């Protein structure tokens, strides 16, 4: 399929999750189509954290939800281990998806306000007809730093935002997942609480042997928690780079723009906010630019960029780039 780049996918035997050519479209007014995600691919090894970074509206949440089949993607393949999640019956999806859990940006609204903590934690297994003991619930609550004696009878509105996110992590853990998809899990929390939740996610990942997809628009957050980072722009992948070497190795003009705007950003601003100031707004996903989607904002754009969509190619160890005019083998002088 045009626009897909699979150069960065690892051997099938090593992957916990494999997403190929994922397309997410939404109908819009006037018979138009929102091209939220346009043929992205990525995979996850056992115990790995993949960071997905990109500015607001680039399709991160749509991609995460489509991996969970909430709702299923317009097209593409999602494989968890050796089981396909797309194109199978709803019942099969539900069964297979249980090994993959997602937590969201706004923890309070993802919890049923009428239910108590003890029931919210047990809800997932109960849906599957599995009763859980008080002790099992208490173990998970303690694992996420909540004191069962204090929170047991509380409802979500009686907890802080950070406590609600801890509760969401506990709910996910009750289903013993292999993969945890975190969609901006700390964006709505106070800065002081963000670090606590990030530390908890790291600990939880190790303790429960999870692999993680970590979606964020904040470069600093993604960089610290991830092993590799996938940078998205308007529904496409522009670069995949090992997290530790991001600043030194990133080559894509968009990634460079994100990195270069960091020192100018104030503590409360994100790198992405800086990039938006420096290089204009994200074009509409209703009518994406031809060729390379970053072209209208790109200082290196050439004629070729308007007609030929750049594909991901390997430019270093674990490093993949979709750009005609940067990196080794660039087709035009930058
Ligand atoms: N259910 C929907 N119906 C129509 N358009 C949608 C729907 N969900 C998302 N979109 C559109 O798809 C595009 C991608 O949205 P998405 O929420 O995936 O981006 P995002 O990268 O997660 O942004 P943010 O950082 O703000 O969370 C946006 O233009 C958005 O308006
Ligand atoms: S392909 Fe062209 S427009 Fe796109 S990032 Fe590279 S130089 Fe810029
Ligand atoms: Mg989002």
């Amino acid at each position: 399929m045009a626009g897909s780049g699979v150069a960065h996918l690892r051997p099938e035997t090593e992957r916990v999750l494999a997403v190929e050519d994922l397309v997410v479209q939404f109908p819009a007014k006037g018979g138009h189509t929102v091209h939220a995600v346009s043929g992205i691919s990525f995979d996850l090894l056992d115990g790995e954290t993949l960071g997905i970074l990109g500015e607001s509206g680039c399709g991160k949440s749509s991609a995460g939800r489509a991996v969970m089949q909430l709702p299923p993607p317009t097209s593409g393949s999602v494989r968890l281990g050796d089981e396909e999640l797309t194109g199978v019956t709803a019942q099969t999806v539900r069964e297979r998806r249980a090994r993959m859990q997602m937590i969201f940006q706004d923890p309070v609204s993802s919890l049923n306000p009428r239910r108590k903590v003890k029931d919210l934690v047990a809800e997932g297994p109960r849906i599957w007809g599995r009763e859980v003991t008080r002790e099992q619930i208490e173990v998970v609550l303690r694992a996420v730093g909540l004191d069962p004696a204090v929170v047991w009878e509380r409802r979500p509105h009686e907890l802080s935002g950070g406590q609600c996110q801890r509760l969401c992590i506990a709910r996910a853990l009750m289903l013993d997942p292999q993969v945890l998809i975190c969609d901006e899990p700390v964006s709505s929390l106070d800065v002081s609480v963000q670090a606590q939740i990030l530390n908890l996610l790291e600990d939880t990942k190790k303790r429960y042997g999870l692999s993680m997809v970590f979606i964020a628009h904040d470069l600093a957050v993604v960089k610290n928690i991830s092993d590799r980072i996938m940078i998205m722009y308007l529904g496409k992948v522009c670069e995949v780079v090992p997290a530790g070497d991001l600043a030194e190795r990133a080559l894509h003009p968009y990634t460079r723009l994100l990195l270069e705007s960091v020192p100018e950003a104030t503590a409360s601003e994100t790198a992405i906010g800086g990039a938006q100031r420096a290089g204009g707004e994200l074009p509409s996903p209703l009518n994406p630019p031809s060729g390379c989607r970053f072209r209208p904002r790109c200082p290196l754009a050439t004629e070729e960029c308007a007609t030929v969509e750049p594909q991901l190619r390997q430019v270093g160890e674990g490093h993949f780039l979709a750009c005609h005019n940067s990196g080794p083998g660039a087709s035009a002088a930058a």
Side-chain angles (χ1 to χ4, degrees), residues 251-283:
L251 291 166
H252 195 283
Y254 178 58
T255 319
R256 297 295 338 161
L257 188 64
L258 299 183
L259 288 164
E260 281 153 21
S261 27
V262 174
E264 293 161 29
T266 64
S268 62
E269 283 176 316
T270 65
I272 303 279
Q276 274 167 341
R277 284 199 315 278
E281 299 295 325
L282 195 71

Side-chain angles (χ1 to χ4, degrees), residues 26-27 34 36 54-63 105 183-184 217 285:
F26 299 105
V34 178
E55 68 200 81
S56 184
C58 76
K60 305 179 298 294
S61 297
S62 302
Q105 174 171 352
D183 187 1
E184 311 243 15
H217 63 270

Side-chain angles (χ1 to χ4, degrees), residues 83-103:
E83 293 180 328
E84 180 63 56
L85 294 189
T86 46
V88 294
T89 64
Q91 173 63 18
T92 308
V93 169
R94 271 197 296 278
E95 284 165 18
R96 293 179 178 176
R97 189 181 55 200
R99 291 190 289 123
M100 194 158 53
Q101 292 296 310
M102 188 161 179
I103 58 171

Side-chain angles (χ1 to χ4, degrees), residues 211-232:
S211 307
M212 224 155 66
V213 176
F214 192 94
I215 296 170
H217 63 270
D218 187 328
L219 184 63
V221 169
V222 183
K223 189 172 177 299
N224 290 335
I225 204 162
S226 307
D227 297 302
R228 47 172 22 197
I229 297 179
M230 181 171 95
I231 294 109
M232 276 185 75

Side-chain angles (χ1 to χ4, degrees), residues 2-223:
S4 70
V6 291
H8 59 300
L9 297 183
R10 276 77 56 95
E12 237 176 87
T13 48
E14 297 174 17
R15 313 190 296 210
V16 175
L17 176 72
V19 176
E20 291 191 48
D21 269 335
L22 193 76
V23 174
V24 181
Q25 296 174 348
F26 299 105
K29 279 186 194 146
H32 296 289
T33 300
V34 178
H35 299 271
V37 179
S38 302
I40 70 165
S41 300
F42 58 89
D43 60 10
L44 209 53
L45 303 186
D46 194 16
E48 187 180 41
T49 299
L50 171 74
I52 302 184
L53 177 70
E55 68 200 81
S56 184
C58 76
K60 305 179 298 294
S61 297
S62 302
R65 286 176 180 275
V67 169
M68 290 292 295
Q69 312 293 307
L70 294 169
T74 308
S75 64
S77 152
V78 177
R79 291 179 73 79
L80 186 59
D82 55 7
E83 293 180 328
E84 180 63 56
L85 294 189
T86 46
V88 294
T89 64
Q91 173 63 18
T92 308
V93 169
R94 271 197 296 278
E95 284 165 18
R96 293 179 178 176
R97 189 181 55 200
R99 291 190 289 123
M100 194 158 53
Q101 292 296 310
M102 188 161 179
I103 58 171
F104 299 93
Q105 174 171 352
D106 183 359
V108 182
S109 67
S110 62
L111 296 165
N112 183 335
R114 287 187 297 276
R115 308 202 80 176
K116 294 181 175 176
V117 167
K118 59 180 181 183
D119 298 315
L120 287 164
V121 175
E123 195 171 44
R126 280 181 189 151
I127 288 171
W128 288 101
R130 282 203 318 266
E131 210 29 70
V132 282
T133 63
R134 182 177 180 122
E135 197 194 343
Q136 283 172 313
I137 299 172
E138 288 184 351
V139 166
V140 169
L141 284 174
R142 279 194 206 96
V144 299
L146 292 174
D147 181 346
V150 175
V151 299
W152 193 255
E153 297 284 344
R154 290 201 183 164
R155 294 189 168 86
H157 70 272
E158 296 170 302
L159 304 173
S160 67
Q163 286 175 320
C164 282
Q165 197 58 291
R166 289 176 190 273
L167 178 56
C168 291
I169 297 168
R171 276 161 56 82
L173 291 176
M174 283 305 282
L175 286 160
D176 195 19
Q178 250 181 312
V179 174
L180 185 63
I181 300 181
C182 307
D183 187 1
E184 311 243 15
V186 298
S187 313
S188 68
L189 304 176
D190 289 347
V191 175
S192 57
V193 182
Q194 290 188 356
Q196 293 169 17
I197 298 295
L198 291 173
N199 287 339
L200 171 63
L201 283 169
E202 293 241 57
D203 287 351
T204 307
K205 189 186 117 176
K206 288 188 199 117
R207 197 161 155 185
Y208 287 81
L210 304 175
S211 307
M212 224 155 66
V213 176
F214 192 94
I215 296 170
H217 63 270
D218 187 328
L219 184 63
V221 169
V222 183
K223 189 172 177 299

